[in-house]
Amino acid sequence: MLKILVTGATGRTGSLVVKKLQTQSNDFQVIGFGRSHEKVQQIFGTTKDFLIGDILSENDLEKAMEGCQTLIILTSATPQMKGIPQEGKRPEFEFPDHGTPEIVDWQGQKNQIDIAKEVGIKHIILVGSMGGTNPNHPLNSLGNGNILLWKRKAEEYLIGSGIDYTIIRAGGLLDKPDGRRELLVGKDDNFLNSPPDGVPTSIPRGDVANTVIAALTAPNARNKAFDLISKPEDFPHSEITKDWDKLFYQTTSSL
Ligand code: NAP
């Protein structure tokens, strides 16, 4: 049975991945890695099969990855609104002191990759974001964090690590039902540069979680990096994605 560590397990997408894996306990043993005991208890109703720690701590990661064959990285820096914006003004964002993209999306992800290599993890699935080819992407100016650039650097590091990888760069994440849409894969931010007709560059978090889980066992998802969006639900001539091999077959290995 595949033993899997999911980091960012209390995050909005990470928690979906953990919950979905928990329903497939014949095939997978899932361990969740979170920062807060209370948050784990609140989301999952139990703390069994969870480890509490920080991705900046090698010690915490070593303990969490013990005996695992696969690592799913769903940690990310999260910008916070700087107070309530004045009327007519745009909200401003900032990152907590120890939660900047450089610290979380670069040092934290690098740390996870280094420890994974040390303990013999065979496959890492990393969920990131589209937009990393454009240094002037508006997300980079949020809190002066250059978030997409640090995420991209971690992706490059993972590819160079020698561990099998699957890098999923999602479009804008939606909290909408999953399993009802046709998913589209791309590369080099082609969806952002020339969006397909009538298709927003977004995807439900649950569909990202389903893609992560399908990638655990699909040979065509190994050593691949791709952008991921979805057609809207009931989009004309669309076909709900069920054939994961067919989807992954269209992806490529380069960044
Ligand atoms: P999220 O809810 O913001 O979750 C991030 C997780 O990282 C949280 O669980 C957080 O822990 C954890 N974390 C942060 N710093 C940590 C540390 N030092 N040690 C341990 N854990 C730490 O994520 P999401 O919105 O589901 O997004 C998933 C991924 O998709 C991210 O990489 C995101 O950038 C990317 N993405 C997002 C969008 C979008 O529209 N938002 C679009 C495309 C791609 P806590 O739970 O304790 O806070």
Side-chain angles (χ1 to χ4, degrees):
M1 186 185 301
L2 206 57
K3 187 175 174 190
I4 302 160
L5 181 72
V6 181
T7 63
T10 50
R12 288 161 291 178
T13 309
S15 57
L16 295 179
V17 170
V18 172
K19 284 181 182 171
K20 284 172 183 284
L21 285 173
Q22 284 173 335
T23 67
Q24 300 183 47
S25 56
N26 285 340
D27 299 317
F28 306 117
Q29 183 191 354
V30 57
I31 307 292
F33 188 82
R35 283 192 290 190
S36 146
H37 206 269
E38 290 71 32
K39 201 167 172 186
V40 169
Q41 181 69 39
Q42 191 195 337
I43 296 174
F44 300 97
T46 176
T47 55
K48 189 177 165 285
D49 296 327
F50 286 87
L51 282 158
I52 305 302
D54 196 300
I55 53 166
L56 298 166
S57 157
E58 292 178 11
N59 207 18
D60 291 349
L61 289 174
E62 270 167 12
K63 270 190 221 146
M65 287 184 205
E66 204 181 303
C68 292
Q69 291 87 38
T70 308
L71 168 65
I72 297 174
I73 302 181
L74 264 149
T75 42
S76 176
T78 312
Q80 296 165 349
M81 223 200 298
K82 238 178 170 178
I84 299 164
Q86 287 177 340
E87 225 183 288
K89 294 240 163 125
R90 281 171 182 267
E92 282 186 50
F93 289 87
E94 63 186 355
F95 291 95
D97 282 350
H98 296 290
T100 62
E102 182 175 359
I103 293 174
V104 179
D105 293 287
W106 167 235
Q107 288 169 15
Q109 314 313 44
K110 178 178 179 293
N111 219 15
Q112 294 181 69
I113 296 162
D114 287 342
I115 304 297
K117 194 164 180 174
E118 192 183 295
V119 305
I121 293 265
K122 301 280 181 264
H123 182 200
I124 298 181
I125 301 176
L126 170 68
V127 177
S129 176
M130 291 190 336
T133 61
N134 176 11
N136 299 318
H137 191 288
L139 280 180
N140 285 322
S141 54
L142 271 192
N144 288 323
N146 282 326
I147 188 161
L148 297 180
L149 299 182
W150 291 115
K151 281 182 186 292
R152 191 88 176 173
K153 195 168 153 81
E155 291 171 17
E156 283 163 3
Y157 190 78
L158 172 56
I159 291 175
S161 72
I163 303 176
D164 277 5
Y165 61 87
T166 306
I167 296 169
I168 301 172
R169 289 185 294 254
L173 297 178
L174 308 170
D175 290 318
K176 296 220 167 132
D178 60 275
R180 299 184 183 181
R181 297 164 179 242
E182 180 173 341
L183 308 188
L184 301 176
V185 291
K187 63 182 292 193
D188 296 334
D189 288 333
N190 57 359
F191 293 136
L192 294 175
N193 299 330
S194 45
D197 241 2
V199 178
T201 54
S202 56
I203 180 165
R205 283 187 163 86
D207 283 317
V208 174
N210 292 338
T211 309
V212 166
I213 292 169
L216 285 168
T217 49
N220 276 332
R222 289 288 174 125
N223 300 318
K224 298 290 187 69
F226 53 90
D227 301 345
L228 184 70
I229 63 169
S230 67
K231 290 186 178 172
E233 214 180 308
D234 299 325
F235 193 74
H237 314 297
S238 66
E239 192 185 324
I240 296 172
T241 295
K242 293 193 177 126
D243 186 341
W244 294 101
D245 271 332
K246 189 172 154 198
L247 186 81
F248 292 136
Y249 187 71
Q250 301 162 47
T251 60
T252 58
S253 58
S254 63
L255 251 191

